Amino acid sequence: MTMQSVAGDVSGAEVIEGRSLWQDAKRRFLKNKAAVVSAFVFLFLCIFAFFGQFLSQYDRETIDFTLMGANAYKGVPSFETGHYFGVDSDGRDLYARTVQGLRISIMIGIVGSLVAGIVGTLYGATAGYLGGRVDGIMMRTVDVLMSIPFMFVLILMLVMFGRSITILFIGVGLISWLDMSRIVRGQTLSIKNKEFVEAAVAIGVSPAKIILRHIVPNLIGVVVVYMSLLVPTMILTESFISFLGLGVQEPNTSLGALLNRGAGALQSGVTTWQFYFPLTVFIVLLFALFFIGDGLRDALDPKDR
Amino acid sequence: MTQPILHVRDLAVAFDIRPQGAWPWTKPLKLHAVGGVSFDLAPGECLGVVGESGSGKSTLARAIVGTIPATSGEVLFEGQDLASMSVSERRVHRKDVQMIFQDPLAALNPRMTVGDIIAEPLTTHYPQTPASEVKARVGELMERVGLLPNLINRYPHEFSGGQCQRIGIARALILQPKLLICDEPVSALDVSVQAQVVNLLAELRRDMGLSMIFIAHDLSVVKHISDRIAVMYLGKLMEMAEAKTLCTVPQHPYTQALISSVPIPDPVLEAARKRPILEGELPSPLAPPSGCVFRTRCPKAQASCAEAPPRVEVLEGDHRVACPFHAPMDVLERA
């Protein structure tokens, strides 16, 4: 205790604000330079993804006929024509398409990790806290769901219900919580044997309240870290699906679909920028997210305390 | 004698232990943590429970509080059987029996402020209490247990062990329980703080008319606060008597060994005294010795001890001893 807080104790008049573990974690996170820079980069990418289209005079689907047949030398990235990232091989503005693709990718990542965070946490915490037979049934269900090859099911769903972004969101949401529930259950098992949980039982707090008030807040560190690492995984999954041509449909696009087209262009060797611009955005996004996840893990790791 | 507030009869707690690598259908082993403990607790009385590690003290406390189900026997609290109550009935009843835990910091949720922790019993049992009243009550109690009320928004990790234990005490007392169970409340604290906390408990008990069960493995701490002391060994009660009687004229060989193991802070006396020293380890509660559980380490053990569990003999002044060969130890030799 510092002298100052001792003085505060003695006066006893004003209420002293405590410093919660969250505030400690925030301080540690802010000390991590790579994580802070990445957080700003991610913020910038989000702003870019949602408002970037206003900077361009072109939209994502209109073909610029003035460049017809001359994409390879007139459609190069240039500020003069207003095609900042050039045009794709169809003559559509690549800047507008990248902005829109990034938006879809970020949304997929956030939806996937939010579903994982909410469903997975509640499911895992309930299974872990109740234990016994309930735990057995709940976790074996997860095992069964995990044993189904997810990519195969997602592709089947997209084929059966039509290729739409909604199905993709549902598909990603359906599987993303499985891993999370396992991790959370494991953590819950160690938390539920702590004395403060026993104290809550002895006080007479109901099981639902114990899970929500005592277990989940102590899990959040692990959950947040895992969620932040899940965002890139979800983006990669979506990119893979779109790369196969099953995800987002024209004229909409996503980073995966753009890379798919770009890879084709790379092969023909004409509009090669079509590959490099989305790739740069993609790599910057993934790196930023991984560094944020890393920073969160260091900040929230209970062993650091 | 007045109606006891707590009446425990033949309380037994056993845990199922599945040996590693056993088949799923093999019968699990029974670990008898507490076997056939009986006692009464008068209103306002403080019963100390002592015993070495693994003697079932904490399990006894948890079975009374109800966080561990009892295998058999009954626990009557003000005449009502706690064990046979439904879960929701039981939850309502919890406000009368509160508990203080061994590890002060671990017993507090690290993500909650001290104010929320102390208020939790109140907001759980009386959810309609207005926030201002909750805050007033919490402040009042914090003052009562020797914490400054302006620390209400702090978090447990910002407090010392002794302060954390005071928070635990405040939480246990906010509903004005009738029975307070202290599970080794001072063993994790250092000696100077131990005295403060024990004195605080003694004071609160006097002021609030609490009945208490005070568990510790340190006889000198228990002696200070308790009216009566019960000695446990391997889940069984060995001896139970008035605190003073038990410490001056212990009858059971195990109690005698326990008392003589307390060091005397005088090297001459310490070197001069004769004392029965216990050899060996506590037997495994998975396979307790037949008959008297203490016989494997007892200096007075006879062949007959292995046959049947010893009958509890009641001596003068409600002094109960579970040993047929009980005899007072020479007190002069001890001190």
Side-chain angles (χ1 to χ4, degrees), chain B residues 52-135:
Chain B
E52 57 195 298
S53 310
S55 58
K57 309 181 297 283
S58 293
T59 309
L60 176 68
R62 278 161 176 73
I64 294 170
V65 172
T67 52
I68 290 177
T71 315
S72 64
E74 55 185 11
V75 179
L76 300 181
F77 179 75
E78 295 187 315
Q80 285 174 291
D81 191 358
L82 293 181
S84 63
M85 277 184 187
S86 74
V87 178
S88 50
E89 255 182 331
R90 184 75 208 251
R91 211 170 282 145
V92 173
H93 233 85
R94 290 237 155 94
K95 60 175 181 275
D96 291 331
V97 184
Q98 289 291 322
M99 186 160 172
I100 297 173
F101 294 87
Q102 178 172 8
D103 184 341
L105 188 57
L108 308 175
N109 185 344
R111 304 272 177 203
M112 282 164 82
T113 62
V114 168
D116 289 340
I117 290 172
I118 297 175
E120 192 173 25
L122 194 64
T123 47
T124 300
H125 289 282
Y126 303 100
Q128 300 92 345
T129 324
S132 56
E133 200 192 316
V134 171
K135 204 173 166 206

Side-chain angles (χ1 to χ4, degrees), chain A residues 53-294:
Chain A
Q53 70 268 33
F54 300 122
L55 291 180
S56 168
Q57 63 206 39
Y58 303 100
D59 66 30
R60 65 185 174 358
E61 50 183 338
T62 317
I63 295 169
D64 190 345
F65 288 103
T66 60
L67 305 174
M68 200 62 173
N71 282 343
Y73 51 95
K74 276 192 186 163
V76 290
S78 115
F79 283 105
E80 267 159 55
T81 56
H83 295 296
Y84 309 132
F85 292 0
V87 293
D88 68 2
S89 37
D90 294 334
R92 293 174 294 188
D93 184 46
L94 189 62
Y95 173 82
R97 292 184 71 72
T98 308
V99 166
Q100 201 260 322
L102 181 64
R103 183 159 66 229
I104 294 273
S105 290
I106 288 178
M107 272 161 66
I108 285 270
I110 287 176
V111 166
S113 64
L114 272 186
V115 171
I118 296 166
V119 178
T121 306
L122 291 179
Y123 193 91
T126 309
Y129 179 69
L130 296 178
R133 195 159 294 165
V134 180
D135 180 33
I137 293 170
M138 286 175 86
M139 290 326 283
R140 291 304 79 74
T141 312
V142 168
D143 289 349
V144 169
L145 289 175
M146 278 184 123
S147 68
I148 301 169
F150 146 71
M151 205 51 91
F152 181 69
V153 173
L154 189 53
I155 290 169
L156 266 184
M157 274 171 70
L158 288 165
V159 169
M160 268 169 60
F161 302 112
R163 304 166 186 185
S164 77
I165 193 82
T166 325
I167 295 293
L168 197 62
F169 272 61
I170 292 172
V172 163
L174 277 180
I175 51 104
S176 61
W177 60 274
L178 296 174
D179 275 315
M180 179 70 96
S181 69
R182 272 196 179 170
I183 291 168
V184 164
R185 173 184 171 266
Q187 284 288 316
T188 307
L189 289 183
S190 71
I191 290 175
K192 83 166 181 184
N193 289 323
K194 294 251 170 79
E195 279 188 335
F196 67 82
V197 174
E198 201 188 349
V201 175
I203 284 167
V205 184
S206 65
K209 281 239 178 77
I210 290 180
I211 291 175
L212 290 178
R213 196 187 292 160
H214 293 283
I215 294 193
V216 170
N218 285 289
L219 285 170
I220 296 265
V222 183
V223 171
V224 166
V225 170
Y226 188 68
M227 266 168 77
S228 70
L229 296 175
L230 204 61
V231 176
T233 319
M234 287 300 131
I235 292 175
L236 286 171
T237 308
E238 183 278 331
S239 298
F240 178 67
I241 298 278
S242 294
F243 191 85
L244 294 179
L246 281 167
V248 181
Q249 292 308 299
E250 296 289 354
N252 287 328
T253 189
S254 76
L255 285 181
L258 284 173
L259 287 171
N260 179 24
R261 293 291 301 273
L266 205 58
Q267 231 156 23
S268 63
V270 195
T271 51
T272 44
W273 57 82
Q274 210 186 324
F275 183 67
Y276 293 118
F277 280 104
L279 184 70
T280 312
V281 173
F282 189 60
I283 289 174
V284 170
L285 175 65
L286 290 188
F287 267 84
L289 286 170
F290 276 120
F291 277 121
I292 292 172
D294 218 44

Side-chain angles (χ1 to χ4, degrees), chain A residues 1 17-25 27-28 218 302 304-305, chain B residues 104-114 117 151 153-161 163-165 167:
Chain A
M1 233 186 217
E17 281 305 318
R19 204 168 63 197
S20 73
L21 296 178
W22 297 117
Q23 286 159 307
D24 278 351
R27 212 165 33 92
R28 273 199 296 272
N218 285 289
D304 263 7
R305 263 170 232 135
Chain B
L105 188 57
L108 308 175
N109 185 344
R111 304 272 177 203
M112 282 164 82
T113 62
V114 168
I117 290 172
L151 301 175
N153 284 335
R154 290 238 172 160
Y155 290 84
H157 65 110
E158 297 175 296
F159 289 89
S160 69
Q163 285 177 312
C164 284
Q165 198 55 285
I167 296 167

